[in-house]
Amino acid sequence: GAAAELRRRQRAGFGELLRSIRGLPAALPTLPLELTVLYNSLLFTVGASDSAIEGEADGIRQGLLRVLEACGACGQDLSTEELWQKVLQEVKVEELQAPLHRLGALQAAWWLAAGRLGSIAGLFQLLSTAEDTGRACCSKGQNKLLSLLKAWRVPAEGASLPLVQSAEDLKEILCTAAAFLQGLQELEAGNFSTALSLLQEAAGGFCSKKVLAQIYTCLGCCTQRMGKPQTALQHLKRALQVDFQCLPALSHVAAVYHELGETDAELQALALLYEALEKNPPGAASSSPCFLIQTELLVHRPILASLLRHHHPSEVKYLLAQRCLQDGRVEDAVEHYLDFLALLQEGLQQQVPLDGSSALPRIPEVFLEAASALEQAGRHQDAITVCEEVIRRTTDLIPRMLRVEERLEQLECPLPGAGLADGLLSQKESLCCLAWRTAGYLHQGWAWAKLGESKEAITQFSRCLSDLLRVRLCGPGTETTENLLPEMEVLQKIRLLSLIGRGTQFLELGKHKEALLDFQYGLQSSPGDPAAASYLVQALWKLDRKQEAAAHWQKLSQSSPREEGQQEEKGRPLPLYLVSWLEQAMFPHSEPLARSIQDYLGTAAQDTS
């Protein structure tokens, strides 16, 4: 716009003036003007870029060398820090003090953007008088850098040219940015109390509404990590009050409500976030034109980018679907999952970051979660269709045989050598594909069972079990659960659920021997599993092997509470797409079977007596 064009012209004007002055030999009478022109020129350079300050300020270095040249000294071989030390200790010309102080504040801005806090502290110790330094040191419990910045006395504005940004404003911005930056560093390091104090200092500083909202967002994240969710909510809501465009604050609000178990509030926050992102997709927000150097140009840490990451609308849509499914809101979950799958047709994968920061799981897992939601909503045919897509897409990606020899630790820390690392990743990917494909068959099996099609259900369960035979576990220690890869644990659970599913359908068809075999295999696969053990008892009972059934039932009733506790303690969380089938596989006839067995045991005891 017009303001940007004006800045461009002013920048060009100051640049031309500076080149003209530097064409002449350095002279003490003209140095105050030269340094003021340099100050304004650098400010316009920063303001015109409207992006984070990077690199060294070569103009400042040239200015310091010109000062030394005018005083008959040189410093070409010195670092910028050493140059500042030499100039401030040796040049005592009164007229140069104010221009040098202003240039020092500008140097601090460059160093702050580079995270060179020690260099800034050293520079401001040189800039401050002995009285100022003493005042800074006396402030016990305060941050050293902030104390030095606050103690620095800004020189009077007796410049030969008007200043495009006053040194007083620059000092305020430096104080705010230094507090904000150090607060983020402490937050990264896990020193939450120190981080909280520094971020609160920054929140009381001199900055735009946009930055103030970011600071409150960081305060919310800090207090959440300190285990203070209610305080976190207050800070995050304050961020939204200051700047309603600060949508990352809204996503953190949803996360805090999730932590508190307040699902209604969490879903409401996610719905608002989705609506806001749909209406106003996040773009590069332009900075306020009031100041050329601003806090947002000085503070850029990885944690800040992470905390303020804008979610893509599709990520929020997925979170809505996932949370509804987890909370048993099946109809809502189905609606959100179908909306999300529709977004896939619009090239979603090109729009979502692939650096691991996205909330989205792998796409086949989303399909399987959608199938789980459809299944729970009674839309069995739709669930079968969705799973068919997963099966179709993974068919050509799985080798005929998979030998798994590496333990979890070896996969996470591969040995040096790209070839070996690539091999391990390839094996992991193959296991993921196998898990998705077999889970697709598992879902189809249970869906056909719900439709009353036992034979079709048995076919799908059998396909699942046949695919699982592709995996061969070998190597020391792989027979124990704690050494299994996470993917192998998932495959083991899919095998168990398929055996239980097929066994129940054999029972439906009156094929009790086949059912018994499946439940026995299930217990071999997952010893002590209460569902498989209960179905085993039922199969034995239907085969009229009542004594064996009673013995297994007694063993089960004594051991299952302890074993279930152990499983919960040791097992890793299962993928969401399998959770509903764990509930589905639970034995539904415990009480009637228990009564029958107790009657049988009572009668047997009477006969014996």
Side-chain angles (χ1 to χ4, degrees), residues 322-343:
Q322 181 198 53
R323 292 298 297 123
C324 286
L325 183 57
Q326 287 171 333
D327 197 55
R329 304 177 190 221
V330 178
E331 295 296 337
D332 290 339
V334 166
E335 182 184 339
H336 291 309
Y337 274 115
L338 292 180
D339 286 346
F340 180 84
L341 294 181
L343 287 171

Side-chain angles (χ1 to χ4, degrees), residues 460-599:
Q460 300 308 319
F461 288 130
S462 298
R463 284 175 178 167
C464 174
L465 293 165
S466 175
D467 262 7
L468 289 169
L469 292 175
R470 299 180 186 213
V471 182
R472 286 287 179 271
L473 264 180
C474 42
T478 46
E479 70 281 353
T480 57
T481 305
E482 53 266 33
N483 286 324
L484 287 180
L485 304 173
E487 293 76 20
M488 288 303 299
E489 277 193 46
V490 170
L491 290 172
Q492 194 178 61
K493 190 61 73 174
I494 289 172
R495 173 179 164 79
L496 171 68
L497 292 170
S498 278
L499 286 166
I500 290 175
R502 190 170 72 173
T504 59
Q505 296 312 297
F506 279 137
L507 286 177
E508 287 287 324
L509 297 173
K511 297 184 176 183
H512 301 143
K513 287 184 180 178
E514 289 88 340
L516 178 63
L517 274 174
D518 275 349
F519 300 139
Q520 286 173 331
Y521 288 140
L523 280 173
Q524 285 174 14
S525 170
S526 300
D529 182 79
S534 299
Y535 276 113
L536 177 74
V537 171
Q538 187 187 36
L540 287 167
W541 190 260
K542 286 181 178 289
L543 286 166
D544 208 29
R545 292 161 62 175
K546 295 185 176 179
Q547 193 170 349
E548 286 178 74
H552 277 287
W553 178 80
Q554 286 176 313
K555 182 182 176 184
L556 173 66
S557 59
Q558 290 165 6
S559 65
S560 64
R562 179 177 58 81
E563 300 229 349
E564 280 179 52
Q566 284 179 348
Q567 285 174 358
E568 282 173 20
E569 234 176 81
K570 289 184 180 178
R572 298 182 184 94
L574 279 176
L576 181 57
Y577 60 80
L578 286 181
V579 171
S580 66
W581 298 123
L582 281 181
E583 297 166 7
Q584 201 71 35
M586 292 310 293
F587 185 66
H589 312 298
S590 296
E591 290 185 14
L593 183 62
R595 281 197 297 272
S596 300
I597 291 173
Q598 283 169 340
D599 291 344

Side-chain angles (χ1 to χ4, degrees), residues 206-221:
F206 190 70
C207 60
S208 64
K209 285 186 176 182
K210 174 189 165 189
V211 172
L212 184 57
Q214 292 177 357
I215 295 169
Y216 276 119
T217 302
C218 294
L219 276 166
C221 295

Side-chain angles (χ1 to χ4, degrees), residues 238 351 404 553:
R238 180 81 177 109
Q351 302 165 28
V404 183
W553 178 80

